[in-house]
Amino acid sequence: MIRFRSYLLSFRSLFYQRYYSSSQIHDVYIYNSTNKSMEKFEPKYPGTIFWYSCGPTVYDSSHIGHASTYVTSDIIHRILKHVFNYNIVLMMGITDIDDKIIHRSQKENVHYLEISKKYEQEFIDDMLKLNVQPPTLYARVSDHIPLIINFIQKLIDKRFAYACPSGSVYFDMNYYGETNEYKHHRMNEQGLSSLESDILNEKRNIRDFALWKGRDKTSNELKFQTPWGYGRPGWHIECSVMASRTFGSHLDIHSGGLDLVFPHHANEILQSTAYHGNKTWVKYWLHTGLLNTKSMDEKMSKSLNNTILIRDMLKTYTSTQFRLFCLMHDYRSPRSFESAAIQQALFVDKLFKAFFDTVQACQKGLVDISSLSEAETITRIRNAHEEIIDVLANNFDTPSAMSRLQELVHWINSHMNYDIRDNENIINNIPTCALFLAVDFIQSWLEIFGIDMSLSGHENQNVSSDRILLENVIEKSVQFRTNIRDICRRRSLTDEESPKKLLLEQCDDYRSQMKYLGVEIKDRHQGSTWSFKK
């Protein structure tokens, strides 16, 4: 096997330094869900991003809807970090206290943290298999109960919230409307934010939402003591508290699935701006499109019983193929996990792998590239690089970026000739450096997007000494077979080149090559045996 990585490191750094450095001053524009418009990305501190991501509610195994959200967010994270050179502090919130977790713990008669810890670790393992980079830190609701209580108490003290005799606490929408710009609650018009579990006659306004869910002091349910009674946190308050604990009164980016826009994120804005006393708590809201069922009308959800677990999906498709599926969809748009979309990802996966395999064939002189212009290849690489930077700066347009990579492969493939019988004497002296540069260029961008492919076209794995030995043995075996075929295909041989003599020479040469690799072949009367050389 030919390994280009070590040989191209210095070449890559020299070639790309000029182009990658240009991205440091490249303006980036993103779609801000708050204002529903494209905006120039300008974080509070130049070159630095404070980012909070809503994480999973860990009461069950994660499905590919979660995978779609977090792989897509990971792609954006990688682009901002590796293309536009931002330093990023990313926190992910983990909801490990929730009604669904508690109900499951009661059903299975175990502590609620036993349920949440089990599925949290399973989620982390799933993300690792999908090559999703872990956040800078995780934040768990169970670790922030005192801070949540203090946060709510401050809202009560500032009259933005009120406690009820039941122990529940609600956010006061009327008071907020009198003292603040009400537009923050209009991120998406989807109706009222009341929960079915709320006691409506306790509320001052039907739009008020729960910050704390009161529970009877004598009940066996999970509950925590507060100045206003017993209970546990509401859903929305946890993210505001955990993010404020680390980032204070300002976030550059807050991300999550499109289904969280209302009421979750809308209510986060209300309670956080009220707490901090500012008009803008999060500057940019990023929401990823939902993964739907085949009908495209129904999102994938555990409650709808239409999910595919991540572990089950990975039995059929690789993490690379799923990431390609995400890359070829606009991050804000819904995507359907159905045959046509998956087949497109499989096609692109096969396209790149076949291209990398062809490069090895070119290096061995098995493919004619005499019509491939070195100068034009380098020019096309340069243009593709600049175009990819431009489309990624326009709201992370990965489908267009992937198209540029595919176009480069198709163009190079169009200049390759696999029928080399009439060109055997000329192709061995054709320079292939530009071709290797194209390979390294494509691999570099795939790595930025979170895809690591070895040159042989296989998804990168931990290369062991046994694997290297196997690859070398296969390489020599394939070469031996090629030599035998060449001898058999020759139209005429001289007396010194009798077929029997040439075949035996090839067999002896193959035995010598195997001995060099540590495999000793011994000829016997009725055949041959082999053993590992000590």
Side-chain angles (χ1 to χ4, degrees):
M1 171 184 288
I2 302 169
R3 298 182 182 277
F4 292 109
R5 273 282 178 249
S6 58
Y7 303 119
L8 283 173
L9 287 177
S10 59
F11 186 48
R12 173 196 292 187
S13 62
L14 289 173
F15 184 81
Y16 290 119
Q17 185 176 10
R18 172 184 173 187
Y19 304 110
Y20 279 123
S21 63
S22 66
S23 65
Q24 295 175 352
I25 59 175
H26 205 298
D27 291 337
V28 178
Y29 290 85
I30 67 175
Y31 182 88
N32 193 344
S33 298
T34 306
N35 301 325
K36 299 182 180 179
S37 62
M38 293 286 290
E39 296 179 8
K40 183 178 178 180
F41 183 63
E42 296 177 309
K44 182 178 181 179
Y45 301 105
T48 301
I49 298 173
F50 295 158
W51 184 342
Y52 179 84
S53 169
C54 284
T57 300
V58 284
Y59 72 95
D60 204 347
S61 299
S62 299
H63 55 68
I64 60 173
H66 299 117
S68 176
T69 294
Y70 295 114
V71 168
T72 299
S73 295
D74 181 66
I75 291 168
I76 296 174
H77 180 275
R78 289 171 181 271
I79 291 170
L80 287 169
K81 183 176 182 179
H82 298 298
V83 179
F84 300 111
N85 301 314
Y86 281 99
N87 298 311
I88 302 173
V89 177
L90 172 62
M91 170 191 276
M92 176 179 286
I94 302 289
T95 301
D96 61 352
I97 296 178
D98 180 82
D99 289 347
K100 294 176 181 178
I101 297 172
I102 294 167
H103 292 159
R104 183 156 191 168
S105 71
Q106 292 171 338
K107 182 179 180 180
E108 299 183 13
N109 195 28
V110 297
H111 194 276
Y112 76 95
L113 285 179
E114 186 174 334
I115 298 294
S116 61
K117 291 300 181 185
K118 171 186 176 182
Y119 290 110
E120 178 189 330
Q121 188 58 53
E122 189 177 289
F123 168 79
I124 292 173
D125 292 342
D126 285 341
M127 293 301 103
L128 181 64
K129 293 173 185 175
L130 293 169
N131 199 26
V132 173
Q133 294 178 318
T136 310
L137 68 160
Y138 292 101
R140 299 166 185 84
V141 177
S142 60
D143 296 330
H144 290 76
I145 295 299
L147 291 173
I148 291 173
I149 293 172
N150 292 339
F151 195 100
I152 294 174
Q153 184 62 60
K154 183 175 179 179
L155 289 176
I156 293 174
D157 294 342
K158 296 177 71 172
R159 297 174 58 193
F160 286 110
Y162 57 91
C164 299
S166 66
S168 294
V169 179
Y170 295 93
F171 189 84
D172 193 330
M173 290 297 295
N174 283 339
Y175 186 76
Y176 185 91
E178 293 172 4
T179 57
N180 294 271
E181 296 181 29
Y182 195 67
K183 68 176 184 179
H184 291 304
H185 202 51
R186 301 296 182 180
M187 287 177 69
N188 199 343
E189 299 290 346
Q190 293 187 18
L192 303 178
S193 60
S194 61
L195 304 175
E196 292 181 2
S197 60
D198 290 342
I199 304 172
L200 295 180
N201 59 9
E202 281 192 325
K203 292 184 176 184
R204 297 175 182 175
N205 185 307
I206 195 172
R207 290 186 178 273
D208 295 350
F209 57 91
L211 303 176
W212 190 265
K213 299 177 180 181
R215 290 295 182 266
D216 192 303
K217 179 180 179 179
T218 62
S219 72
N220 293 325
E221 288 187 72
L222 174 67
K223 56 188 179 297
F224 303 92
Q225 186 175 8
T226 72
W228 55 84
Y230 287 84
R232 54 180 180 260
W235 177 33
H236 317 303
I237 194 67
E238 61 191 47
C239 290
S240 290
V241 175
M242 292 189 295
S244 296
R245 172 66 181 86
T246 297
F247 299 110
S249 60
H250 172 82
L251 275 170
D252 295 306
I253 294 177
H254 193 314
S255 63
L258 195 61
D259 56 335
L260 299 182
V261 170
F262 187 93
H264 185 52
H265 289 165
N267 291 346
E268 275 191 64
I269 293 175
L270 291 167
Q271 61 203 17
S272 299
T273 53
Y275 178 88
H276 293 294
N278 55 13
K279 292 184 178 180
T280 302
W281 176 54
V282 174
K283 192 168 184 181
Y284 304 96
W285 287 86
L286 296 183
H287 290 101
T288 56
L290 302 180
L291 185 65
N292 298 318
T293 60
K294 294 180 180 180
S295 67
M296 284 295 288
D297 297 323
E298 185 177 86
K299 77 167 185 176
M300 190 166 292
S301 170
K302 293 173 185 174
S303 61
L304 297 174
N305 197 30
N306 62 356
T307 61
I308 301 172
L309 298 185
I310 293 174
R311 63 181 67 176
D312 292 334
M313 181 272 292
L314 290 176
K315 294 176 182 177
T316 304
Y317 305 104
T318 67
S319 61
T320 287
Q321 290 164 346
F322 187 82
R323 187 169 286 254
L324 286 169
F325 167 78
C326 295
L327 281 163
M328 291 187 291
H329 287 83
D330 175 76
Y331 80 90
R332 294 182 56 246
S333 301
R335 64 282 306 265
S336 176
F337 197 72
E338 45 84 26
S339 179
I342 293 299
Q343 288 303 316
Q344 184 185 15
L346 297 180
F347 169 79
V348 174
D349 183 40
K350 186 179 295 185
L351 175 69
F352 290 135
K353 289 179 178 180
F355 177 67
F356 298 151
D357 284 340
T358 302
V359 169
Q360 291 196 80
C362 291
Q363 178 67 5
K364 298 173 184 177
L366 303 177
V367 177
D368 178 17
I369 55 170
S370 58
S371 64
L372 184 67
S373 166
E374 187 174 82
E376 187 174 359
T377 301
I378 293 175
T379 298
R380 284 180 176 267
I381 292 171
R382 181 186 298 113
N383 292 341
H385 180 79
E386 293 173 351
E387 290 171 2
I388 291 173
I389 293 287
D390 287 340
V391 297
L392 293 179
N394 182 26
N395 203 33
F396 317 114
D397 185 2
T398 58
S400 295
M402 293 301 297
S403 293
R404 302 300 190 278
L405 295 179
Q406 293 174 68
E407 289 166 4
L408 179 62
V409 171
H410 287 310
W411 180 80
I412 294 175
N413 283 341
S414 70
H415 290 77
M416 291 183 175
N417 178 18
Y418 292 85
D419 187 4
I420 62 171
R421 285 174 293 183
D422 298 328
N423 302 300
E424 290 179 347
N425 295 324
I426 64 172
I427 64 172
N428 291 327
N429 296 322
I430 299 172
T432 55
C433 191
L435 184 61
F436 297 162
L437 182 64
V439 170
D440 195 56
F441 171 77
I442 294 168
Q443 286 183 327
S444 297
W445 274 110
L446 292 178
E447 287 175 7
I448 286 174
F449 294 145
I451 295 174
D452 191 1
M453 291 184 179
S454 67
L455 188 65
S456 62
H458 300 287
E459 196 167 353
N460 191 34
Q461 303 174 4
N462 293 326
V463 180
S464 65
S465 58
D466 289 342
R467 181 179 175 84
I468 294 174
L469 173 61
L470 176 61
E471 290 175 349
N472 286 326
V473 169
I474 294 174
E475 186 76 21
K476 296 303 179 184
S477 299
V478 171
Q479 185 60 54
F480 172 73
R481 179 178 179 275
T482 300
N483 294 341
I484 298 300
R485 290 180 73 245
D486 287 345
I487 292 173
C488 295
R489 290 168 61 187
R490 293 184 191 179
R491 295 178 180 177
S492 61
L493 295 171
T494 63
D495 292 338
E496 292 120 7
E497 293 180 325
S498 67
K500 182 177 180 180
K501 179 182 178 181
L502 291 175
L503 292 174
L504 290 174
E505 286 176 352
Q506 289 296 321
C507 291
D508 290 341
D509 182 66
Y510 180 76
R511 180 174 58 189
S512 298
Q513 293 288 342
M514 289 297 99
K515 187 174 183 179
Y516 172 76
L517 293 174
V519 179
E520 191 164 16
I521 299 175
K522 294 182 179 180
D523 294 326
R524 308 294 183 183
H525 178 66
Q526 294 182 343
S528 301
T529 61
W530 67 272
S531 63
F532 287 116
K533 183 181 177 182
K534 297 182 180 179

